[in-house]
Amino acid sequence: MTTAAEIMHPGAQWIPATETLDRAAQLMARLNVGALPVSDADERLCGIITDRDIVVGCIAKGKDPAKMTCGDMCQGTPRWIDADADVSAVLEEMESHQIKRLPVIRNKKLVGMISEADLAQHLSEDQIAEFVEKVYARR
């Protein structure tokens, strides 16, 4: 059984919901990532902010990323997976919610992130094809 912890990219970092989008962009650039899990004051997952969110949801709308917070951008129920979950559960979570990145949690702490690139390195061609078909399908 392959687990989420075995395929994740370790060392993911939170960004507080109160932090501004310009700071999020700077942290993404420094870490060379396109998404950051967003935490509330108790370090619980309250969403994910992506580089696309910043561009499309803030800059393209003429808003100031130095004044808009990560929490302002978070929408919906955040999805995550337990570090000990089987890879089939990872795929089910990502496919059923059509998401491309999934935070990995162990004992209520962020331990990593699973992205499409991580899946591509660890799955069969058939599994990857099914993932792409389900995640990118129009609903």
Side-chain angles (χ1 to χ4, degrees):
M1 173 179 98
T2 302
T3 66
E6 292 171 320
I7 66 169
M8 73 179 187
H9 181 82
Q13 279 190 262
W14 295 111
I15 189 156
T18 55
E19 196 62 78
T20 58
L21 296 181
D22 62 337
R23 296 281 193 201
Q26 292 164 4
L27 182 57
M28 286 180 199
R30 188 171 43 116
L31 297 174
N32 193 31
V33 298
L36 293 169
V38 179
S39 68
D40 64 14
D42 297 322
E43 287 199 351
R44 290 184 309 211
L45 182 68
C46 62
I48 294 179
I49 186 81
T50 67
D51 47 8
R52 187 174 193 283
D53 292 333
I54 295 169
V55 172
V56 175
C58 177
I59 296 169
K61 293 182 178 177
K63 297 180 182 178
D64 184 352
K67 294 183 179 164
M68 196 168 183
T69 69
C70 294
D72 293 335
M73 293 297 297
C74 292
Q75 298 174 345
T77 302
R79 310 307 308 179
W80 58 275
I81 196 84
D82 187 87
D84 295 324
D86 184 75
V87 71
S88 62
V90 170
L91 289 171
E92 173 62 28
E93 186 69 17
M94 294 176 82
E95 291 170 357
S96 66
H97 296 285
Q98 291 187 303
I99 55 177
K100 300 168 192 151
R101 297 171 181 101
L102 188 63
V104 180
I105 307 291
R106 175 177 279 137
N107 298 324
K108 300 182 182 180
K109 298 288 183 190
L110 177 70
V111 293
M113 182 84 85
I114 297 173
S115 69
E116 294 168 295
D118 298 314
L119 295 177
Q121 290 179 343
H122 294 91
L123 301 180
S124 70
E125 287 184 25
D126 289 342
Q127 288 173 307
I128 294 167
E130 182 178 334
F131 171 81
V132 169
E133 182 179 319
K134 289 183 178 180
V135 170
Y136 288 94
R138 297 249 178 208
R139 286 190 177 177

